[in-house]
Amino acid sequence: MKHFAGALFAGLCSVTALSASAQEITASIWFPDTYPLVTDGYQALARTLEEKSGGELSLKVYTGDSVLPPGAHLSGLRDGIVDMTYHAGTYTPSDLPADNVLAALGISFNDSMVLTAAVADFYLNDDQMQEMFRQQGVVFLGSYASPSYALMCTSPVVTLDDIAGKKIRMPSPIHAAWAASVDAAAVNVPSSEMFTGLEKGQLDCAANSPNDLKSRSLWDVAKEVTLLDLGQYFAGWQYAMNQPAWSGLSEANRQLLVDSISDNLVTMTTAFEQSVDEALAEAGDHGVTVHEPGEDLQASLDSFVAEQVAPMAAEVAGRLNVEGAEDLIARFNAVYDKWEGLLADVDRSDTAALQKVFKDEIYGKVDVARYGVN
């Protein structure tokens, strides 16, 4: 009943129901208010739109599961329950097959600014990705990439002997396959359930970004952290709208939204990375011990990434009937390589410089009169 009431209210507030002179976008993101994708993503974007439009375009943000549970952020968007959502693509592999093929590569990436730019660039411009979104009735607008994942555990996990037999919340099938390769048991639960799982002993570890020590209070239940770089998560989207809601925006408001998202991705990604540094710096005050991985544990991951990621991405493609997967991966990797070059000499502390590259190379090229309208 809670979800129905929230959905009904959101529907009454939808962008298509408002006058042309003032438009409101309803949005849902299932992370808590303390999470960087909320505070520095949706909530910051809402403030920007309000300020830059003089109140003519607003963003009403619902957090947690007040409107939609985590797994329903694609279906809820597609059905128009809200106008915009965040969505973790690996929750709906059959609906987003090409996205899931690329998400399988996440374990091999470790630069969130490059990855955020590459995903935005590729998803906005690649024909195969755009067709996937059209089939779902959604308009992709913005990407995200987590900082590198680590292991947050209830007991020390430093060596191969330590990890054997551990029940670990893993974010993707590729991560689960690595867990199996070291005799651990992968558990497939949403990140919103990590705290409870660790608290009740249903999980021994959670693989996620270490900012969750603070933003989700995992340091209350996970006192041992191992900085084993398990790559980054970027599946789905940070910002996407359902097609009728996007088309219902005035062209001026579509342009304002695109411009604002372009800048927001830079500040959000920077803040996401900084949140990890802050959480790790404070972890000791909460009784948390931070470990570097043992040589054997690190070697097992390095070997897996080098030998298994490409074949497993192909396996995901076969299971989800993605045609031309090898070419899809090659195209994406080419865009990623391009962004490594574009950002190689940009000072990561220079927000304005980063935002200029995002605008010049990605969002300044989006034609809002045509993109996602037909």
Side-chain angles (χ1 to χ4, degrees):
M1 182 63 71
K2 177 176 66 174
H3 295 321
F4 175 79
L8 177 61
F9 179 72
L12 291 173
C13 294
S14 93
V15 67
T16 55
L18 297 176
S19 69
S21 60
Q23 297 184 303
E24 181 180 72
I25 301 168
T26 57
S28 179
I29 177 168
W30 51 263
F31 292 110
D33 286 345
T34 54
Y35 204 73
L37 297 184
V38 178
T39 55
D40 302 288
Y42 273 81
Q43 291 173 347
L45 180 63
R47 291 192 295 272
T48 297
L49 294 176
E50 186 78 19
E51 293 166 3
K52 290 189 173 181
S53 73
E56 291 301 302
L57 180 63
S58 59
L59 183 66
K60 175 64 177 178
V61 180
Y62 297 92
T63 59
D65 64 352
S66 60
V67 174
L68 295 166
H73 275 63
L74 169 56
S75 60
L77 180 64
R78 184 174 55 214
D79 295 342
I81 293 174
V82 288
D83 304 317
M84 176 185 282
T85 65
Y86 162 89
H87 180 58
T90 52
Y91 289 5
T92 56
S94 61
D95 291 322
L96 302 172
D99 172 64
N100 273 257
V101 171
L102 297 179
L105 308 176
I107 196 172
S108 61
F109 296 125
N110 58 16
D111 188 324
S112 57
M113 191 66 75
V114 169
L115 188 54
T116 297
V119 174
D121 190 350
F122 192 73
Y123 283 28
L124 281 164
N125 294 297
D126 186 78
D127 290 342
Q128 187 173 0
M129 303 307 294
Q130 283 293 302
E131 178 58 28
M132 180 188 70
F133 294 128
R134 277 192 293 271
Q135 290 178 3
Q136 295 301 320
V138 304
V139 179
F140 174 87
L141 294 173
S143 58
Y144 70 103
S146 74
S148 290
Y149 278 22
L151 292 174
M152 294 169 282
C153 304
T154 56
S155 62
V157 175
V158 177
T159 68
L160 283 176
D161 285 343
D162 293 336
I163 203 170
K166 293 292 190 291
K167 303 184 294 294
I168 306 175
R169 181 268 171 184
M170 286 296 188
S172 77
I174 302 297
H175 289 86
W178 173 74
S181 77
V182 293
D183 298 322
V187 181
N188 181 21
V189 297
S191 59
S192 57
E193 298 178 18
M194 291 186 300
F195 187 100
T196 300
L198 290 163
E199 182 181 39
K200 294 184 176 181
Q202 297 160 342
L203 298 173
D204 298 307
C205 300
N208 227 64
S209 174
N211 69 283
D212 281 337
L213 290 168
K214 182 175 183 177
S215 61
R216 286 170 161 162
S217 299
L218 290 191
W219 49 31
D220 291 339
V221 291
K223 298 298 186 181
E224 308 289 339
V225 174
T226 302
L227 299 179
L228 181 68
D229 190 335
L230 290 164
Q232 301 177 320
Y233 187 88
F234 64 91
W237 54 76
Q238 169 69 1
Y239 302 114
M241 292 184 69
N242 84 15
Q243 201 281 329
W246 167 255
S247 296
L249 289 173
S250 68
E251 190 171 317
N253 281 342
R254 289 199 296 269
Q255 188 65 62
L256 174 58
L257 181 58
V258 164
D259 291 344
S260 299
I261 286 174
S262 180
D263 287 347
N264 176 264
L265 294 189
V266 170
T267 54
M268 178 188 75
T269 303
T270 299
F272 210 171
E273 288 284 1
Q274 290 173 345
S275 72
V276 172
D277 296 337
E278 292 168 3
L280 291 174
E282 297 173 29
D285 296 335
H286 295 265
V288 175
T289 301
V290 179
H291 308 273
E292 293 295 332
E295 290 184 6
D296 59 349
L297 186 61
Q298 184 65 61
S300 73
L301 178 62
D302 293 343
S303 176
F304 181 88
V305 170
E307 299 172 7
Q308 299 297 322
V309 171
M312 292 199 70
E315 181 182 323
V316 171
R319 187 170 66 249
L320 298 177
N321 298 314
V322 177
E323 296 183 1
E326 185 175 342
D327 187 49
L328 171 69
I329 292 170
R331 295 196 310 274
F332 178 78
N333 283 333
V335 172
Y336 186 89
D337 291 345
K338 178 185 81 172
W339 276 96
E340 280 192 313
L342 285 170
L343 296 182
D345 297 323
V346 179
D347 181 355
R348 297 297 179 90
S349 67
D350 189 338
T351 299
L354 288 166
Q355 289 175 330
K356 184 178 187 303
V357 180
F358 272 58
K359 183 173 182 179
D360 289 348
E361 298 292 334
I362 309 174
Y363 284 93
K365 299 178 180 180
V366 175
D367 181 357
V368 298
R370 301 178 61 186
Y371 179 74
V373 174
N374 299 316

